[in-house]
Amino acid sequence: MSFLKLVFFQSKLGERETQIWSLQDVDSVKGLHVQFHENPEISCLLRWALICILIQLGPLSVPYSPHLRKSGSRPVFSDLGSGELGSSVEESLLHSTEANEMKDITAPLATAAIMPSPIFLWRFKVLLFFIWGFSCCKIGWDSVMRMGADLRDLFLYEAFLYYNPLLLVTMMVWLWGVNLWVFSKSAISYAKIFDLDQSYLTHNEIWKCATWMTIIVPTSMTSYLYLYSHGEVSLAASQPVLLYCAVAMILIFPFDIFYLSSRYYLLRTLWRIAISFSDFFVADILTSMSKVFSDLERSVCRMIHRQVATIAWFEADSICGSHAVAIPLVLVLPYLFRFFQCLRQYKDTGEKNTLLNALKYSTAIPVIFLSALKYHVIPEKWINFYRPLWLLSSVLNSMYSFYWDVTRDWDLSCFTRIFKFNKPHICTHLLYGRTWVYFWVIGSNLILRCTWTYKLSAHLRHNYLTVFTITALEIYRRFQWVFFRVENEWNKMNSKANIQLSMIELSNEGDKLLGLNDHNV
């Protein structure tokens, strides 16, 4: 009877595609083991048959079960060199199975008790985020309502000046993470386009940075409102100063923490004037954030002159007032950088299109300085002469920039191809090859190009909520622009690679033909 069981067990093992033992197989072998010890008369042939089965299987590999060996434990090997070969194999099988039964029963239970599920952690984080957001809104609103109506608007304008630049930067980081997420899902290798090394930040890491910025900046703003409304003026004044110092320290921190290589890449790109695509790309984004840099300059000026949480800066003609000459100078800097990049590109390549591109950026300079003249000329001269020039230069800049976006920066022949993801996705279904995307992107780009001159005008900056909204819309326009600008650059790189490959193939064909002619001669 034992012999028949052994033959049947061996036939079962022969039918398996993989050498995995189930619970029934182990029980069968354990049953045979008991029979061997209870019946000493069983022939040696049966023992050697069982040993052959074990040797055929090799190291035991069993699926995960609370009663079997887990993947991290030691496998069981048979020692063929011992004298008691059959007994060692059988004893090792029994001992390994019984030992792992006790270990694996408690291991999954302990792990499940210590580590909660990812879904639970995500929901808990979202709940904490909403609680934090509600707390900031409630504390900030109560703090503002404690002030008098005459002081409230002036105080909000000052608080908004300190924190709206960092809020807009946070928005840009969130949208840049969305750009990278779309690039990662499509066939576009943005790391190759921007010439990044292996340590570049992914969209998840960008969103992690944006999350911390979203938490830190409003928390500092809420602290500023609360402390000022409760009479702690000196502590309130320290809040934006500490925040700006922390941001500066993180950017220039020389140690290998906080994504050192990415910070170095950003600072190096901001410092140099080169003709690589990444330099052009970053400089174009900076032109959309010129109002952010202007507000940063105003904030730092008031911090240096100790005018935070005071009324000294309310004087428009003061060094940090709204009529200062530094305002248009800072607004024009991103356009000057981009202008000189185009001139450098023309010097290195000789392409005439770069001069036309430089002309586009130069059209923003009259818009900025004509607007600043309002506070330095008599009102009649501004109304009759300078304001019409300002309006004309604004229209010229908007139309020229819109034309360049559609005809040069974008490639309408392959529009929305960037939304063709490698795997099925709802974004591909909604955006790829859809006609409405053409009309939306072109129409919104035209409207926002016409309104963005508002933020370049220094004489309109007192409408801080309107300027903030228009600046946020400009950042959104640039977010749309990124998709099609990167896609156009990727298509150019592929076309150049294909041309070079075809030229190599033609040269190889020519060499082969010349070799055949020489051989015939």
Side-chain angles (χ1 to χ4, degrees), residues 226-409:
Y226 178 82
L227 292 172
Y228 188 88
S229 63
H230 286 75
E232 300 290 342
V233 179
S234 59
L235 290 177
S238 66
Q239 298 304 309
V241 176
L242 291 175
L243 180 62
Y244 276 59
C245 291
V247 172
M249 287 298 298
I250 290 175
L251 283 176
I252 65 175
F253 204 61
F255 300 103
D256 194 9
I257 57 175
F258 302 128
Y259 309 112
L260 175 62
S261 60
S262 299
R263 290 188 285 113
Y264 173 73
Y265 177 85
L266 175 62
L267 295 176
R268 182 188 61 184
T269 305
L270 293 175
W271 177 259
R272 66 183 182 182
I273 298 179
I275 60 172
S276 65
F277 176 75
S278 60
D279 299 313
F280 297 154
F281 186 83
V282 172
D284 281 330
I285 291 178
L286 295 183
T287 59
S288 296
M289 303 182 70
S290 56
K291 178 61 170 58
V292 174
F293 296 125
S294 177
D295 288 344
L296 286 175
E297 184 273 331
R298 294 289 84 192
S299 300
V300 174
C301 177
R302 292 172 187 177
M303 292 175 189
I304 293 175
H305 291 85
R306 297 183 179 181
Q307 297 180 3
V308 181
T310 65
I311 61 174
W313 61 270
F314 291 159
E315 300 177 4
D317 295 327
S318 65
I319 189 173
C320 299
S322 58
H323 298 175
V325 180
I327 294 177
L329 292 178
V330 176
L331 284 173
V332 81
L333 280 180
Y335 298 94
L336 290 178
F337 290 156
R338 194 67 183 90
F339 175 79
F340 286 118
Q341 276 185 337
C342 294
L343 296 182
R344 167 73 181 274
Q345 187 179 9
Y346 175 75
K347 178 183 177 181
D348 294 342
T349 63
E351 297 179 3
K352 294 183 179 180
N353 287 334
T354 58
L355 294 179
L356 298 176
N357 198 16
L359 180 62
K360 180 192 72 171
Y361 294 104
S362 66
T363 57
I365 298 177
V367 179
I368 296 172
F369 284 103
L370 286 174
S371 174
L373 284 176
K374 179 183 178 179
Y375 303 117
H376 303 281
V377 298
I378 59 177
E380 292 80 7
K381 196 170 185 180
W382 161 255
I383 295 174
N384 297 326
F385 181 73
Y386 288 110
R387 188 170 69 176
L389 286 179
W390 169 73
L391 292 173
L392 179 62
S393 60
S394 299
V395 172
L396 177 63
N397 173 258
S398 300
M399 293 298 101
Y400 197 171
S401 301
F402 171 75
Y403 166 78
W404 195 271
D405 284 342
V406 176
T407 60
R408 302 300 175 91
D409 287 345

